[in-house]
Amino acid sequence: MPVFTHAACLAHDTGSGHAERPQRLGAVIEALRNGFDDLDWREAPRAGRGELLRVHDESLLTAVLEAHPAQPVALDPDTVLSPQSAEAALRAAGAGVAAVDLVLSGEAPVAFCAVRPPGHHATAHAAMGFCLFNNVAVAAAHALERHGLARVAIADFDVHHGNGTQAIFDAEPRVHYLSSHQMPLYPDTGHVHERGAGNVLNVPLPPGTGSRGFRAAWEDRLLPAIDAFRPQLLLVSAGFDAHWRDPLAQLQLEADDFAWLTVELRRLADAHAHGRLVSTLEGGYDLQALRECALAHVGALRD
Ligand SMILES: [Zn+2]
């Protein structure tokens, strides 16, 4: 199975004590390299300017790509731009574009993007919540515009709501956005009544939900909605911060819950999309949980 990553993603420096630190991606890559000897590691290319402009304003490209900071600077209270961040952001978004090209070419049905910074909080206009460019949104727009797909589903199981992804596509019926997330929690969006143009489904979950409630949310609500949409491509915002060890949230999941959901998502990709699925790393802030969850998720993707 192809896995896209780039050394630049490890050089994006958020400063000491920041939760979204290079060691996160280091832990994921190390766990995957040690756990599986058959992964097809590929260097993520840079996203092109036109690919980013499908979902982002010129002003955000300027802020991220042309600032050239000599020292890390804060774009908001959570989000840092370091000297290496522009390159990391280009590679993180480019990974999704390359992975979409790869699965739609028929070369392999499934691909994983082991990248940072994460993406799902970034809006058309603004970097926020550790995210510079919205990697999964850039990938979805590429599938629509370059490949002419009419139905792309984005399943987001990060513990935070993907406010940026939702906002970018909430008037785009060719993309359906489906998310489970803890509420209340940053960024305080993702209420049930937020339905976009009928293409958004949010299932907020209270702190302490645990495996049973999480699986029920997907089994009863989110997976049937994906099934009804019949996506031609399934994209996954794979955050592992709903794990019980994670310091930023309290959803209390186990690594096995991510394996279970990955199998279910693959089943839907098989039913509707010739198996085509691209997963991209979002959050997850405990290194041990990241190792276990990356093994569980990628293990289920490559089976
Ligand atoms: Zn998150």
Side-chain angles (χ1 to χ4, degrees):
M1 188 184 88
V3 179
F4 287 88
T5 190
H6 197 279
C9 295
L10 292 163
H12 164 55
D13 177 12
T14 47
S16 97
H18 197 289
E20 203 293 279
R21 58 207 189 277
Q23 290 82 356
R24 298 178 53 246
L25 180 58
V28 167
I29 291 171
E30 185 189 8
L32 296 180
R33 285 197 188 280
N34 291 340
F36 307 116
D37 56 13
D38 58 349
L39 296 178
D40 173 11
W41 291 87
R42 303 203 182 192
E43 185 162 279
R46 295 188 186 103
R49 194 174 174 78
E51 292 160 355
L52 297 168
L53 285 170
R54 290 182 182 130
V55 304
H56 290 303
D57 279 8
E58 188 86 43
S59 61
L60 180 60
L61 271 63
T62 303
V64 172
L65 302 178
E66 286 163 35
H68 305 295
Q71 299 293 325
V73 294
L75 297 180
D76 81 355
D78 304 313
T79 313
V80 175
L81 192 72
S82 73
Q84 300 84 0
S85 298
E87 182 71 9
L90 288 171
R91 300 287 181 171
V97 170
V100 164
D101 284 341
L102 185 141
V103 305
L104 290 173
S105 77
E107 191 183 335
V110 177
F112 181 63
C113 302
V115 293
R116 60 184 284 277
H120 72 157
H121 296 306
T123 67
H125 323 273
M128 62 179 277
F130 313 159
C131 304
L132 297 175
F133 297 137
N134 194 314
N135 306 320
V136 79
V138 171
H142 186 69
L144 300 182
E145 305 308 328
R146 172 71 181 78
H147 294 279
L149 296 196
R151 295 184 308 282
V152 176
I154 302 174
D156 185 337
F157 58 74
D158 188 281
V159 81
H160 301 94
H161 179 242
N163 60 296
T165 312
Q166 176 177 302
I168 286 167
F169 293 119
D170 69 359
E172 172 50 83
R174 291 177 294 173
V175 176
H176 278 213
Y177 175 73
L178 309 105
S179 175
S180 65
H181 42 273
Q182 181 175 316
M183 184 172 282
L185 192 67
Y186 181 90
D188 300 320
T189 54
H191 295 267
V192 172
H193 63 80
E194 296 167 28
R195 298 301 313 272
N199 63 329
V200 170
L201 181 59
N202 287 306
V203 181
L205 300 169
T209 289
S211 299
R212 204 168 149 168
F214 175 80
R215 294 189 189 205
W218 282 91
E219 205 153 20
D220 300 344
R221 308 278 313 281
L222 293 153
L223 295 169
I226 297 172
D227 194 29
F229 180 50
R230 298 182 295 112
Q232 297 161 297
L233 171 68
L234 188 48
L235 303 180
V236 180
S237 271
F240 301 112
D241 37 11
H243 189 276
W244 65 269
R245 293 182 62 99
D246 197 274
L248 299 194
Q250 301 79 35
L251 219 46
Q252 306 296 96
L253 301 189
E254 312 271 348
D256 189 52
D257 295 315
F258 298 103
W260 170 82
L261 180 52
T262 305
V263 168
E264 295 300 317
L265 291 170
R266 281 201 66 193
R267 210 188 300 280
L268 290 172
D270 286 342
H272 301 296
H274 307 287
R276 297 181 300 212
L277 185 154
V278 170
S279 173
T280 192
L281 182 65
E282 298 280 2
Y285 303 97
D286 178 86
L287 299 185
Q288 182 56 31
L290 273 171
R291 287 184 200 101
E292 290 175 18
C293 295
L295 287 172
H297 179 59
V298 172
L301 287 179
R302 64 187 263 290
D303 277 344

